[in-house]
């Protein structure tokens, strides 16, 4: 399954509401807390920009609206667009991922910040905890946030969110110490329900980690870039595109 990703900071969000659709403006009007509204705008702009690059249309033509289960859905001229879209925002930055329907994608973006022992014990499986505590401090921070991001992304694929018992999900990494900017495979094994494994990819940058998961299993995500930036994307020998900014 082909997937594309885009990440944007708060500074890239256009001012005003001209780029929002009528339904999105109604949602925005009900968000009274300034920070929540700013994060919502950031997520919507990043998702709309990703859709625009994926389909070759202006971002403002799309609306990204929540389905009854809370998952984002793309709309164009009053009709559902046959794509799957997922978004995540954290620390003033957003990540959006797009793929063709009927595939389903989920993503998560996390700051690389220390997680408490209580968090690790509460949310991570015993084998994940053992792996974390066998590492040095920097790798412990990476793994704790990576395992959490992987579970978040995969719950979005299953469209059940944290209603799933993520303690019974186990993350397996194909590689634990990749080069910065390299996408590496992972899988999340579930002990509940008929779908026993969700596949995905992860990528670390200084200060950040992101995960993209999908059903069916996605290929390595490709960065979505405006045409004027494509010639500035270096493609190393491994074949993974790396932007000239960490997550942009």
């Amino acid at each position: 399954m082909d997937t594309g990703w885009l990440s944007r900071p708060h500074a890239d969000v256009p001012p005003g509401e001209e780029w929002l659709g009528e339904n999105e403006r109604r949602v925005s009007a009900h968000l009274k807390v300034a920070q929540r509204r700013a994060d919502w705008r950031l997520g919507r702009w990043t998702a709309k920009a990703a859709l625009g690059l994926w389909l070759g249309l202006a971002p403002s033509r799309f609306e990204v609206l929540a389905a009854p289960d809370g998952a984002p859905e793309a709309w164009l001229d009053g009709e559902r667009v046959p794509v799957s879209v997922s978004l995540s925002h954290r620390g003033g930055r957003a990540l959006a991922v797009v793929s063709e329907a009927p595939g389903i994608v989920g993503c998560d973006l996390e700051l690389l910040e220390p997680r408490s022992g209580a968090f690790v014990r509460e949310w991570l499986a015993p084998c994940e905890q053992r792996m974390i505590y066998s590492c040095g401090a920097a790798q412990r921070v990476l793994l704790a946030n990576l395992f959490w991001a992987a579970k978040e992304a995969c719950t979005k694929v299953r469209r059940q969110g944290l209603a799933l018992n993520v303690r019974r999900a186990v993350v397996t990494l194909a590689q634990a110490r990749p080069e910065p900017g390299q996408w590496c495979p992972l899988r999340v094994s579930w002990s509940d329900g008929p779908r026993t494994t969700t596949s995905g990819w992860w990528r670390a940058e200084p200060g950040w980690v992101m995960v993209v998961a999908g059903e069916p299993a996605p290929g390595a995500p490709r960065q979505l870039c405006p045409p004027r930036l494509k010639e500035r994307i270096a493609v190393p020998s491994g074949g993974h595109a790396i932007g000239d900014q960490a997550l942009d």
Side-chain angles (χ1 to χ4, degrees):
M1 181 173 68
D2 186 23
T3 58
W5 69 274
L6 181 71
S7 183
R8 287 290 179 261
H10 267 305
D12 281 6
V13 180
E17 295 198 335
E18 291 78 8
W19 55 276
L20 291 171
E22 181 179 349
N23 295 300
E24 292 171 323
R25 292 175 192 171
R26 283 198 289 267
V27 175
S28 178
H30 284 87
L31 300 175
K32 303 302 184 184
V33 178
Q35 186 60 56
R36 185 182 177 195
R37 184 169 60 252
D39 288 341
W40 180 89
R41 285 168 55 87
L42 171 61
R44 260 45 191 185
W45 171 249
T46 305
K48 288 157 74 90
L51 288 163
L53 292 169
W54 185 264
L55 295 172
L57 298 171
S60 59
R61 292 194 58 188
F62 298 96
E63 285 195 298
V64 179
L65 305 172
D69 62 4
E73 293 179 338
W75 293 76
L76 176 66
D77 299 332
E79 296 188 2
R80 278 283 311 279
V81 183
V83 299
S84 175
V85 59
S86 182
L87 59 92
S88 177
H89 53 75
R90 185 79 165 84
R93 188 173 290 274
L95 169 68
V97 178
V98 184
S99 74
E100 297 293 336
I104 304 174
V105 290
C107 71
D108 193 56
L109 173 69
E110 295 291 339
L111 283 168
L112 291 180
E113 58 186 359
R115 298 286 189 170
S116 69
F119 176 93
V120 171
R121 290 190 299 272
E122 177 70 15
W123 296 108
L124 303 185
C127 60
E128 296 166 340
Q129 296 179 37
R130 288 193 294 272
M131 186 174 179
I132 287 171
Y133 289 124
S134 70
C135 299
Q139 188 72 357
R140 284 200 298 270
V141 171
L142 170 62
L143 290 177
N145 287 283
L146 170 56
F147 289 153
W148 176 250
K151 296 183 184 197
E152 283 258 20
C154 290
T155 60
K156 293 177 182 179
V157 173
R158 296 181 65 172
R159 294 190 70 155
Q160 293 177 270
L162 293 180
L164 289 168
N165 184 357
V166 296
R167 303 171 191 84
R168 301 182 67 182
V170 177
V171 181
T172 303
L173 307 176
Q175 187 176 353
R177 298 178 184 270
E179 295 296 321
Q182 178 185 357
W183 284 103
C184 292
L186 61 76
R187 69 176 186 273
V188 176
S189 301
W190 302 87
S191 60
D192 63 325
R195 249 185 256 178
T196 57
T197 303
T198 307
S199 297
W201 297 79
W202 71 279
R203 166 186 167 123
E205 297 285 355
W208 299 90
V209 65
M210 64 171 71
V211 174
V212 174
E215 179 76 26
R222 59 184 176 89
Q223 188 174 9
L224 299 172
C225 298
R228 67 181 181 278
L229 294 181
K230 286 184 178 176
E231 64 272 15
R232 293 162 56 191
I233 299 297
V235 181
S237 58
H240 300 289
I242 300 176
D244 55 351
Q245 298 183 28
L247 285 174
D248 291 345

